[in-house]
């Protein structure tokens, strides 16, 4: 742990000049970046649990390919190089990653580090002129997210958030049906997502690395789901928190409920937790029909039904679909999915309001 801390301290000093130097020449190369018939070459930054899932899933990709790694743990490098055929010249640590600017083998860096590092890592990658995909939650708060979006815009690079469900077939079918009016006027949404978290020493329970607790980590699925189930942006938020284990959850939220009011009149009633299992569902009902996904937000299989019967969408590996889908957007100019950083920012604004409402004993926060 102490070596990690020393390393981060050095990093925060080290990234200064390199990270914030604008690379306008790179930016112009990437504007209008389209390479039909080619692959999107990806480097993963932060080789933890999720990066391993993404890397395995990418072995089935057609349009995206894993070409590089960024890690602060040298002992991880040999296995990654061997498993994914990564040459020495495409291996970086957090101090050398600015050199990726000069590496023509990498088009996009996928940031899979702890939440509170996303801000500094996105600024660092934007400055290299490479496209950025950053895991959820985009940042600790909306202000950071805005700074990250501005940095990517200034550098002329694309910036996405890892909302893999926007490439998941049940989710896409639900959105299609809602758009085409199959549910009629949307009246109500009831979404929840949570789990019982293990190891009390993990970063997810440390505010300095996680930014927040269940709400930031998995409540965001219920929230994002309320936005795609209604197709609207909420006008107000109310929220409540209960903490049944004040020791384990001393720094972050444990169980949160939140309500959203939408312009069309729909109400969403949502929940999230870090303290119990079997809590995962999306339910949307309108005056003509409904859809229920349960499970709704995990890696799958996702299961669903609507007023018309069972949803028979294929089961896929979300991360394979996400990476090929994004590659198609960037390489071939297909329309962006709802995975742009601006979508991540919209959720951060609402999460800020959820925490504000909790701080103010459930007061209604207008957006
Ligand atoms: P892990 O702890 O498993 O991995 C994080 C990695 O980040 C570490 O292995 C390490 O890699 C690197 N890192 C850099 N600095 C630190 C630090 N100070 N402390 C700990 N790790 C550090 O986390 P996850 O992979 O589970 O989560 C990473 C991100 O991915 C989070 O933002 C999370 O919300 C998101 N996520 C998204 C999911 C999705 O379905 N979209 C699912 C799971 C997670 P190295 O040693 O190589 O430097």
């Amino acid at each position: 742990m102490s070596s990690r801390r020393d390393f981060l301290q050095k990093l925060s000093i080290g990234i200064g000049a390199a990270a914030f130097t604008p690379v306008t020449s790179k930016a112009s190369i990437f504007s209008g970046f389209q390479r039909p018939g080619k692959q999107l070459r990806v480097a993963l930054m932060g080789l933890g649990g999720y990066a391993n899932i993404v890397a395995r899933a990418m072995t089935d990709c057609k349009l995206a390919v894993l070409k590089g790694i960024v890690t602060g743990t040298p002992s991880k490098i040999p296995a990654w190089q061997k498993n994914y055929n990564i040459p020495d010249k495409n291996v970086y640590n957090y101090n050398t990653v600015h050199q990726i600017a000069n590496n023509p083998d990498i088009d996009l860096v996928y940031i899979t580090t702890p939440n509170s590092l996303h801000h500094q890592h996105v600024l660092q990658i934007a400055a290299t002129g490479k496209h950025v995909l950053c895991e959820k939650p985009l940042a600790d708060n909306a202000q950071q997210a805005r700074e990250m979006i501005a940095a990517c815009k200034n550098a002329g690079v694309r910036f996405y958030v890892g909302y893999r469900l926007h490439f998941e077939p049940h989710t896409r079918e639900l959105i299609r049906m809602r758009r085409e009016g199959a549910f009629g006027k949307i009246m109500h949404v009831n979404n929840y997502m949570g789990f019982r978290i293990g190891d009390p020493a993990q970063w997810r329970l440390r505010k300095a690395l996680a930014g927040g607790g269940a709400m930031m980590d998995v409540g965001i699925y219920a929230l994002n789901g309320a936005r795609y189930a209604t197709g609207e942006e909420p006008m107000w938020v109310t929220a409540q928190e209960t903490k049944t284990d004040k020791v384990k959850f001393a720094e972050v939220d444990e169980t949160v409920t939140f309500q959203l009011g939408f312009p069309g009149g729909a109400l969403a009633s949502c929940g999230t937790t870090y303290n119990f299992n079997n809590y995962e569902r999306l339910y949307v009902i309108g005056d003509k029909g409904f859809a229920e996904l349960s499970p709704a937000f995990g890696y799958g299989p996702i299961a669903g039904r609507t007023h018309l019967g069972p949803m028979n969408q294929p089961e896929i590996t979300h991360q394979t679909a996400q990476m090929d889908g994004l590659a198609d957007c960037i390489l071939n100019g297909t329309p962006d999915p709802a995975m742009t950083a601006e979508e991540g920012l919209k959720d951060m604004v609402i999460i800020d309001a959820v925490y504000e409402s909790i701080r103010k004993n459930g007061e209604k926060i207008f957006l």
Side-chain angles (χ1 to χ4, degrees):
M1 277 308 281
S2 69
S3 65
R4 163 77 62 190
R5 262 199 303 275
D6 293 348
F7 166 75
L8 282 174
Q9 270 164 9
K10 281 183 206 139
L11 170 66
S12 61
I13 298 163
I15 63 169
F20 297 101
T21 310
V23 277
T24 42
S25 56
K26 284 277 170 198
S28 60
I29 292 169
F30 280 103
S31 50
F33 177 94
Q34 291 185 11
R35 300 187 307 155
K38 300 266 175 67
Q39 286 184 306
L40 185 78
R41 297 156 309 174
V42 175
L44 275 167
M45 180 169 187
L47 307 180
Y50 197 56
N52 273 279
I53 288 168
V54 170
R56 270 195 301 277
M58 284 186 69
T59 59
D60 291 326
C61 281
K62 305 274 183 295
L63 293 177
V65 60
L66 180 61
K67 283 281 186 187
I69 50 174
V70 184
T71 178
T73 310
S75 59
K76 291 180 182 173
I77 295 171
W80 275 79
Q81 286 198 278
K82 181 166 169 280
N83 293 344
Y84 301 107
N85 196 23
I86 292 169
D88 288 345
K89 67 183 175 60
N90 293 354
V91 176
Y92 298 88
N93 63 41
Y94 301 99
N95 288 320
T96 62
V97 68
H98 61 277
Q99 294 166 8
I100 218 167
N102 307 316
N103 188 336
D105 286 357
I106 308 292
D107 304 312
L108 175 144
V109 178
Y110 189 171
I111 297 168
T112 53
T113 51
N115 308 343
S116 301
L117 302 177
H118 293 174
H119 177 256
Q120 82 184 52
H121 288 161
V122 168
L123 298 189
Q124 228 176 334
I125 299 307
T128 68
K130 303 297 180 182
H131 300 304
V132 185
L133 167 58
C134 178
E135 256 318 311
K136 44 58 57 178
L138 196 57
D140 286 349
N141 52 53
Q143 179 53 34
Q144 284 188 354
R146 287 193 187 94
E147 289 166 13
M148 294 150 79
I149 288 171
C152 289
K153 201 171 169 196
N154 286 341
V157 300
R158 304 264 194 116
F159 182 19
Y160 297 97
V161 60
Y163 288 164
R164 59 185 159 71
L165 290 165
H166 289 274
F167 287 104
E168 193 284 314
H170 297 78
T171 306
R172 286 169 84 101
E173 175 63 3
L174 181 146
I175 294 169
R176 185 195 67 76
M177 289 179 74
R178 188 261 301 148
R179 275 198 188 125
E180 291 180 4
F183 310 133
K185 179 175 160 57
I186 303 298
M187 310 300 289
H188 188 61
V189 173
N190 183 204
N191 296 348
Y192 39 89
M193 174 60 164
F195 69 103
R196 184 166 168 77
I197 200 163
D199 180 10
Q202 65 185 285
W203 65 259
R204 280 184 167 77
L205 299 174
R206 304 279 80 87
K207 189 165 168 44
L209 279 173
M215 185 64 220
M216 295 282 277
D217 190 18
V218 284
I220 195 169
Y221 288 104
L223 165 57
N224 192 253
R227 292 179 48 239
Y228 58 72
T230 57
E232 296 180 23
E233 300 304 328
M235 299 177 344
W236 55 259
V237 178
T238 50
Q240 308 79 29
E241 185 199 358
T242 182
K243 220 186 266 293
T244 63
D245 185 338
K246 294 189 169 56
V247 177
K248 187 169 182 180
F249 303 106
E251 295 185 27
V252 299
D253 44 289
E254 175 201 306
T255 301
V256 170
T257 52
F258 58 99
Q259 302 76 38
L260 309 170
F262 289 92
L267 288 175
S269 177
C270 301
T272 186
T273 188
Y274 262 167
N275 213 12
F276 48 86
N277 289 327
N278 302 307
Y279 195 54
E280 180 182 345
R281 179 178 181 244
L282 180 154
Y283 185 72
V284 53
I285 184 159
D287 60 4
K288 290 195 182 135
F290 71 88
E292 177 184 41
L293 301 183
S294 181
F297 306 116
Y299 302 149
I302 305 292
R305 66 186 181 109
T306 73
H307 57 289
L308 303 174
M311 293 176 86
N312 293 313
Q313 308 304 314
E315 186 188 332
I316 58 153
T317 303
H318 300 184
Q319 295 80 9
T320 309
Q322 169 188 282
M323 297 314 293
D324 266 347
L326 272 194
D328 196 29
C329 296
I330 294 174
L331 296 172
N332 303 323
T334 59
D336 275 335
M339 269 184 68
T340 57
E342 283 76 11
E343 292 294 323
L345 168 60
K346 286 177 191 167
D347 288 334
M348 294 313 309
V349 168
I350 301 166
I351 290 175
D352 282 355
V354 165
Y355 285 131
E356 184 182 348
S357 178
I358 290 170
R359 278 196 306 275
K360 295 180 175 170
N361 293 315
E363 192 178 297
K364 192 183 254 190
I365 308 298
F366 290 90
L367 299 166

